Amino acid sequence: SEIYGTINGFRLGSVPSQPVEWEEINAAWGQTALLLQTLVSYWDFTFPLFRVAPMGSFSRIIKRDDDKCIWDLYCQSDMGFGRLFGYGSFDKGMAAFLECVRALQDHVRSVDPSFSPPYRIVDHKVEEFSVKLQFNTYERWTK
């Protein structure tokens, strides 16, 4: 079975045995940002905490009450200080993205009580898997 989630052919993750370049992962995040923004438009919904800025491979999440608080949905590389000291903006961006998905799920459920999301999102985790790279393995992050 496929070990990666994919969107429009772009892989959203990487494992040491089958590495994926950051350019492809960033493109996948850009596609997910565009999809989320499309769903928000369809449901005529506004995220309470964030705005999604789909910008291809350089998409971002912007805090609604502070336009200067911008987090990335892309990563330059996992070499050097990024892996050692955390991915900062990228980790925060992925966690904010999950919060947006959770908020949209709640909205859809309020409109359609029969809606049942397949996975539980709490904070920066889908089920028990964190989307943050810091203190994580690529295998768990890719799940």
Side-chain angles (χ1 to χ4, degrees), residues 4-141:
Y4 300 105
T6 61
I7 182 165
N8 291 337
F10 296 113
R11 293 172 290 183
L12 193 57
S14 185
V15 294
S17 63
Q18 295 178 20
V20 176
E21 296 295 322
W22 277 111
E23 290 80 5
E24 182 176 344
I25 297 168
N26 293 340
W29 272 108
Q31 293 289 300
T32 61
L34 182 59
L35 175 60
L36 186 58
Q37 191 58 43
T38 301
L39 289 169
V40 163
S41 296
Y42 174 83
W43 287 98
D44 194 28
F45 179 67
T46 301
F47 296 121
L49 301 177
F50 302 102
R51 287 183 295 139
V52 177
M55 300 186 314
S57 295
F58 299 98
S59 295
R60 294 186 161 151
I61 299 276
I62 303 163
K63 205 164 181 199
R64 190 162 291 285
D65 64 356
D66 183 0
D67 283 345
K68 294 179 182 166
C69 189
I70 301 169
W71 296 321
D72 300 331
L73 285 176
Y74 63 90
C75 188
Q76 299 293 338
S77 134
D78 61 351
M79 300 302 292
F81 292 115
R83 190 73 176 141
L84 190 59
F85 295 109
Y87 289 88
S89 183
F90 186 45
D91 274 354
K92 289 176 183 173
M94 290 185 293
F97 183 89
L98 270 191
E99 171 55 30
C100 290
V101 171
R102 191 205 53 74
L104 181 59
Q105 286 178 343
D106 289 349
H107 173 72
V108 172
R109 197 177 357 230
S110 73
V111 174
D112 179 2
S114 69
F115 174 69
S116 178
Y119 302 102
R120 184 175 51 94
I121 296 172
V122 177
D123 296 325
H124 58 90
K125 294 181 178 182
V126 178
E127 296 296 331
E128 74 271 14
F129 298 102
S130 175
V131 296
K132 293 184 175 185
L133 277 167
Q134 187 178 25
F135 308 120
N136 210 348
T137 66
Y138 281 115
E139 290 84 1
R140 288 186 63 80
W141 179 68

